[in-house]
């Protein structure tokens, strides 16, 4: 099966290609609301279908300390 | 998905607004939104002098960029905390802030706490014994104090911070879980100031954290992506994740929570718990304090000087600008 690689901070997942980015994010256990999707360097909406061999970077949007 | 304005390929879909936009229209839309809230909540005007609290993160650099785009007169203030965490957190965030200011021709003031006062924030936390081993309490105390002093010394009309909607709802959730009436009464897009306190404003109070990240990515703004090492496991992050779970299931939950809170407050729901603490000038430094005699900042540095000889005898007289 053809795969696509998702990276988030220092974690990485290999998932089957052909699903939407939103479904892929759900499979990683991350929340779609907590990340942005950058495919081969371009920001994308989460309905994009992930294709084999693509580099998908999930950019964390959550930050914050106590003050 | 297509941009609602031009039909080109969208780069962001904001479910809470039922709005998808392309790069070009998003980069025009976000500053318009920020301007709308600056005006709606009467934060500041184009003729006022703005002091932007710059941390090197996405919110402060993104907001500084937006303020410049909108033609506001905003100088930055970066406070060097001396936090390393094995990854040179403070050094990197300072370098990114300075590079940003240079690239955009903006004035950035830097106050390095160790250089001015002889100890870093992590050292202060240990020596002063405040905050149960976490530096966040002394960090917050120093930031609040120094921002106010710089604002007064430099004749700024307002201090602007990059607190976004997610920051605001995380605090709101914490305060409603504790029914912390006094805090709820004080949480607002703008705090008027007076009696030695500078006005404070949060132009991003209705902008999602996700929207700020997208803005920085699309503008090519290089911000510090790593967290402050002391933010790990913070309650703020915990509440943000819980809220994002709700937002994923029901888009708009966070915005609705915040906006209805502001409406309830306007209708007087928290009027009876508004705290009427009287502020008076600190005997030493003259900054406003609710404590009698000396303020918490002056007392803290006094304790630290007993242990660290590098701390000046009168930290309150060190000039900042
Ligand atoms: S996480 Fe704590 S120590 Fe780090 S910057 Fe925020 S308040 Fe300061
Ligand atoms: Zn468009
Ligand atoms: Zn004082």
């Amino acid at each position: 099966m053809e795969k696509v690689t998702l990276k988030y901070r220092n974690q990485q997942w290999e998932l089957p290609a052909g699903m939407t980015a939103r479904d892929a994010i759900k499979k990683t256990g991350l929340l779609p609301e907590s990340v942005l999707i950058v495919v081969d360097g371009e920001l994308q909406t989460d309905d994009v279908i992930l294709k084999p061999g693509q580099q998908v970077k999930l950019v964390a949007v959550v930050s914050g300390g106590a003050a | 998905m297509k941009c609602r304005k031009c039909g080109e390929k969208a780069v962001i879909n904001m479910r809470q607004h039922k709005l998808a936009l392309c790069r070009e229209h998003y980069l025009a839309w976000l500053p318009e939104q920020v301007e709308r809230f600056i005006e709606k909540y009467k934060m500041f005007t184009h003729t006022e002098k703005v002091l932007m609290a710059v941390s090197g993160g996405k919110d402060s650099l993104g907001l500084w960029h937006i303020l410049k785009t909108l033609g506001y007169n905003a100088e930055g203030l970066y406070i060097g905390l001396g936090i390393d965490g094995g990854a040179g957190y403070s050094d990197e965030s300072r370098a990114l802030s300075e590079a940003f200011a240079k690239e955009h021709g903006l004035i950035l003031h830097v106050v390095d706490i160790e250089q001015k006062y002889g100890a870093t924030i992590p050292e202060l936390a240990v020596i002063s014994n405040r905050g149960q081993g976490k530096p966040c309490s002394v960090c917050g105390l120093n930031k609040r104090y120094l921002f106010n002093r710089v604002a007064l010394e430099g004749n700024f009309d307002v201090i602007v911070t990059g607190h976004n909607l997610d920051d605001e709802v995380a605090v709101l959730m914490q305060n409603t879980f504790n029914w912390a009436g006094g805090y709820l009464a004080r949480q607002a897009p703008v705090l008027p100031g007076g009696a030695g306190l500078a006005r404070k404003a949060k132009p991003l109070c209705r902008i999602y954290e996700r929207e700020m990240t997208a803005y920085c990515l699309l503008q090519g703004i290089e911000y510090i992506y790593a967290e402050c090492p002391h933010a790990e496991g913070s309650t703020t992050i915990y509440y943000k994740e819980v809220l994002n779970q709700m937002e994923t299931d029901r888009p708009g939950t966070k915005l609705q929570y915040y906006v209805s809170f502001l409406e309830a407050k306007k209708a007087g729901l928290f009027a009876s718990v508004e705290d009427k603490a009287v502020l008076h000038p600190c005997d030493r430094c003259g900054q406003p304090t609710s404590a009698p005699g000396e303020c918490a900042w002056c007392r803290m540095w006094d304790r630290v000087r007993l242990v660290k000889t590098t701390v000046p005898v009168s930290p309150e007289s060190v000039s900042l600008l």
Side-chain angles (χ1 to χ4, degrees):
Chain A
M1 199 178 354
E2 299 201 274
K3 301 268 183 183
V4 54
T5 308
L6 280 76
K7 287 189 180 162
Y8 171 81
R9 293 202 186 270
N10 47 19
Q11 287 171 273
Q12 187 169 318
W13 298 268
E14 299 277 324
L15 294 173
M19 63 176 122
T20 66
R22 192 175 180 84
D23 288 338
I25 293 165
K26 287 184 173 162
K27 289 222 182 306
T28 66
L30 296 170
L31 293 167
E33 192 57 32
S34 297
V35 292
L36 285 170
I37 304 124
V38 175
V39 182
D40 294 332
E42 300 280 334
L43 185 63
Q44 302 273 1
T45 52
D46 63 11
D47 59 339
V48 68
I49 309 273
L50 302 179
K51 301 192 186 83
Q54 279 179 333
Q55 287 294 323
V56 182
K57 191 176 162 203
L58 302 177
V59 179
V61 306
V62 177
S63 65
Chain B
M1 202 169 292
K2 290 194 172 15
C3 171
R4 192 208 275 174
K5 302 208 173 173
C6 70
E8 291 292 308
K9 194 169 166 345
V11 293
I12 184 164
N13 179 27
M14 294 168 284
R15 287 182 164 75
Q16 72 277 19
H17 301 310
K18 298 192 175 62
L19 179 65
L21 293 173
C22 70
R23 177 178 190 278
E24 185 196 330
H25 284 115
Y26 183 69
L27 291 179
W29 177 84
L30 192 70
E32 278 167 21
Q33 293 299 302
V34 174
E35 176 133 62
R36 204 179 113 209
F37 300 128
I38 291 173
E39 288 170 2
K40 178 178 170 71
Y41 298 113
K42 299 188 173 52
M43 294 184 181
F44 46 87
T45 66
H46 281 274
T47 52
E48 287 185 302
K49 220 178 142 192
V50 174
L51 183 64
M52 174 76 225
V54 174
S55 70
K58 65 185 192 306
D59 302 303
S60 59
L61 292 185
L63 175 55
W64 205 10
H65 188 279
I66 289 172
L67 292 180
K68 191 197 166 187
T69 305
L70 294 172
Y72 287 102
N73 172 20
E75 294 178 15
L77 172 58
Y78 176 87
I79 297 184
L81 306 168
I83 292 170
D84 184 74
Y89 174 76
S90 284
D91 290 346
E92 194 191 339
S93 58
R94 176 175 174 167
L96 288 167
S97 303
E98 286 175 333
F100 177 88
K102 195 166 171 226
E103 184 185 338
H104 296 280
L106 293 161
I107 298 173
L108 179 68
H109 305 277
V110 175
V111 172
D112 186 279
I113 292 184
E114 185 180 26
Q115 195 196 331
K116 291 269 179 205
Y117 303 112
T120 65
I121 289 293
E123 285 175 321
L124 278 181
V126 174
I127 300 170
S128 71
N129 208 6
R130 278 177 68 119
Q132 292 108 28
K134 273 227 155 203
C136 299
S137 145
V138 290
C139 186
L141 171 63
N142 274 279
K143 283 195 270 197
R144 281 191 300 278
Y145 181 92
L146 294 170
F147 273 111
N148 198 60
R149 271 198 52 181
V150 170
L152 298 183
E153 261 187 43
N155 289 314
F156 288 92
D157 295 293
V158 59
I159 299 169
V160 161
T161 60
H163 291 98
N164 55 46
L165 179 102
D166 294 71
D167 295 321
E168 292 302 302
V169 287
V171 169
L172 183 56
M173 193 175 214
Q174 197 165 355
N175 289 340
T176 37
F177 278 177
N178 295 321
W179 293 117
Y183 287 128
L184 288 166
R186 235 176 299 148
Q187 188 178 353
V190 57
L191 297 173
L197 276 182
R199 188 190 330 149
K200 275 192 183 167
K202 305 174 203 172
L204 302 181
C205 66
R206 287 178 59 167
I207 308 294
Y208 280 46
E209 195 155 44
R210 197 161 181 275
E211 295 166 13
M212 287 315 292
T213 310
Y215 186 81
C216 288
L217 291 179
L218 293 168
Q219 280 295 0
I221 297 171
E222 250 197 275
Y223 61 90
I224 183 142
Y225 185 56
E227 280 293 327
C228 170
H230 305 291
E232 202 183 310
S234 73
T235 38
T236 308
I237 290 183
Y238 173 73
Y239 283 125
K240 282 182 172 182
E241 288 293 344
V242 171
L243 284 155
N244 277 347
Q245 176 70 64
M246 295 168 77
E247 185 78 23
T248 299
D249 299 339
R250 290 164 182 262
T253 300
K254 294 186 288 192
L255 185 58
Q256 165 68 20
Y257 186 25
Y258 186 63
V259 171
S260 54
F261 161 68
L262 292 184
E263 279 165 8
K265 188 148 83 155
K266 203 168 166 197
L269 190 62
F270 304 102
S272 65
V273 288
E274 255 171 59
D275 83 319
K276 295 171 184 78
V278 200
L279 297 178
H280 61 85
C282 163
D283 288 351
R284 283 264 296 277
C285 70
Q287 289 287 295
T289 173
S290 53
E294 293 186 2
C295 73
W297 189 85
C298 285
R299 282 182 284 125
M300 178 196 67
W301 282 103
D302 268 347
R303 272 200 305 282
V304 176
R305 194 174 49 249
L306 297 175
V307 184
K308 276 212 87 159
T309 50
T310 46
V311 175
V313 181
S314 303
E316 74 280 3
S317 58
V318 174
S319 111
L320 293 172
L321 286 177

